[in-house]
Amino acid sequence: MIRVRFLGTAAARPTVGRNVSAIAVQREGESILWDCGEGTQRQIMRFGTGFSFSHIFITHCHADHFLGLPGLLRTMGLQGREERMHIFGPVGTGATLGAAVGLGVERLAFPVHIKSLKPGERVNFDGWAVRAFRTDHGVAALGYALVEDARLGRFDVDAVRRLGIPEGPLYGKLHRGEAIELAGRVILPDDVVGPPRPGRRVVYTGDTRPSGDTSRAAMGADLLIHEATFGTEEGKRARETRHSTAAEAARVAAEAEAKRLVLTHVSARYADAPKVLERQARDIFPASRVAHDGLEIELGYHD
């Protein structure tokens, strides 16, 4: 199961009901954090996601996306953390992230490693990866895609039984792609195993104008998380500030043939009336919704 928990969904500054950007993603016992706006450590406690993640991916160095790092790391230190923390950001942001890490947390008992990523680079985990892609925000900025490895094809038990293969280790060999020999016959994996099945894909844009890079990264995504700072009536301001409207985000989702779209990074002017953005997005891409702090989305395998 992949679980996506929205810890902060506001643009630029907190509101009464929304904190600034942060998203916790959990997959099969591993956790990562996308962005870390101020107050993220409190949101983690409020929504019970835990502090077990060891990788933080910052989309860009505007304050509402990274200034939560000092408080979060300090909290982890006070909890007795010893494991290394890995922090990633776009090329050119290392000094800023390093300064944030050192702000008030000089006595950390665990190491912090900061690394810059270029578009197309990957951070690999067991069976999945986080891949960086280029976004369009007028500063050094990245989006991130959680991409699973392809899964083994579906095992055809009826075909195995028709071939007289006894249950046991031979099943495992065939499913892993190994040929077996039984009673003088060679049985190939293709005889009983279907084609590889694609893994799941979750894409987060950070702050950006609509872009072809995002559409390509989100192609066929199970979930696209796209910023929607403004409504259609503020299209000019969205262009000037290198942000997106809800309708523009919906067009990206439609172009990418994503399965679901969740809008975040909501301007304070819509904080109490997000349905305006939701309606504008659904007119173009019906499987749209606006995130709120604490929203959790679970993604199982679609087949």
Side-chain angles (χ1 to χ4, degrees):
M1 185 69 68
I2 294 176
R3 289 184 175 86
V4 179
R5 175 79 80 167
F6 290 83
L7 302 175
T9 58
R13 63 176 177 84
T15 68
V16 172
R18 295 177 183 271
N19 203 53
V20 285
S21 295
I23 300 173
V25 183
Q26 298 171 320
R27 180 198 176 274
E28 309 296 342
E30 294 181 284
S31 301
I32 62 173
L33 187 68
W34 281 334
D35 279 334
C36 187
E38 60 265 36
T40 292
Q41 82 272 33
R42 185 176 182 278
Q43 297 294 90
I44 290 170
M45 291 183 280
R46 178 184 177 191
F47 297 118
T49 58
F51 291 87
S52 62
F53 47 80
S54 57
H55 292 72
I56 301 174
F57 296 84
I58 303 297
T59 58
H60 64 291
C61 279
H62 282 163
D64 57 322
H65 291 259
F66 82 97
L67 273 188
L69 286 172
L72 175 60
L73 297 175
R74 179 66 170 160
T75 297
M76 289 177 163
L78 291 171
Q79 290 177 336
R81 181 188 178 97
E82 298 179 352
E83 296 80 15
R84 178 184 295 270
M85 175 63 73
H86 300 269
I87 300 175
F88 301 89
V91 171
T93 62
T96 302
L97 293 176
V101 167
L103 185 62
V105 290
E106 66 281 353
R107 295 193 302 276
L108 282 180
F110 59 92
V112 177
H113 176 68
I114 298 172
K115 182 179 179 182
S116 296
L117 293 176
K118 299 176 183 176
E121 289 191 307
R122 297 162 55 101
V123 178
N124 292 313
F125 297 85
D126 184 15
W128 58 288
V130 172
R131 187 179 71 82
F133 62 92
R134 191 185 313 279
T135 56
D136 178 7
H137 191 44
V139 297
L142 295 171
Y144 296 107
L146 185 161
V147 182
E148 290 184 322
D149 296 350
R151 293 179 293 145
L152 295 173
R154 191 175 299 280
F155 193 66
D156 189 340
V157 176
D158 290 337
V160 169
R161 289 171 178 163
R162 285 196 300 271
L163 291 168
I165 303 170
E167 265 188 71
L170 295 180
Y171 278 31
K173 286 187 175 183
L174 286 166
H175 205 187
R176 290 192 300 270
E178 302 174 30
I180 66 169
E181 186 173 345
L182 182 69
R185 295 177 299 160
V186 175
I187 300 172
L188 301 175
D190 288 349
D191 296 330
V192 296
V193 180
R197 292 171 289 173
R200 293 164 292 188
R201 179 181 292 256
V202 180
V203 177
Y204 170 52
T205 66
D207 292 1
T208 185
R209 290 290 297 149
S211 76
D213 290 290
T214 298
S215 297
R216 286 185 286 274
M219 192 59 62
D222 296 84
L223 175 63
L224 170 60
I225 304 166
H226 200 296
E227 74 120 293
T229 309
F230 299 110
T232 303
E233 71 285 355
E234 293 288 344
K236 182 174 183 291
R237 180 158 175 75
R239 291 189 295 273
E240 291 172 346
T241 58
R242 311 310 297 167
H243 284 293
S244 298
T245 68
E248 288 173 330
R251 291 188 192 101
V252 172
E255 180 179 342
E257 299 181 356
K259 295 178 177 63
R260 301 166 73 177
L261 169 66
V262 175
L263 306 174
T264 189
H265 202 264
V266 176
S267 168
R269 71 192 69 192
Y270 306 102
D272 297 323
K275 293 296 183 183
V276 172
L277 302 180
E278 198 164 85
R279 283 195 301 270
Q280 292 175 0
R282 285 182 175 177
D283 284 345
I284 297 164
F285 188 78
S288 302
R289 69 180 298 181
V290 176
H292 58 80
D293 286 17
L295 173 66
E296 182 177 87
I297 293 178
E298 294 187 347
L299 299 170
Y301 289 113
H302 45 76
D303 58 354

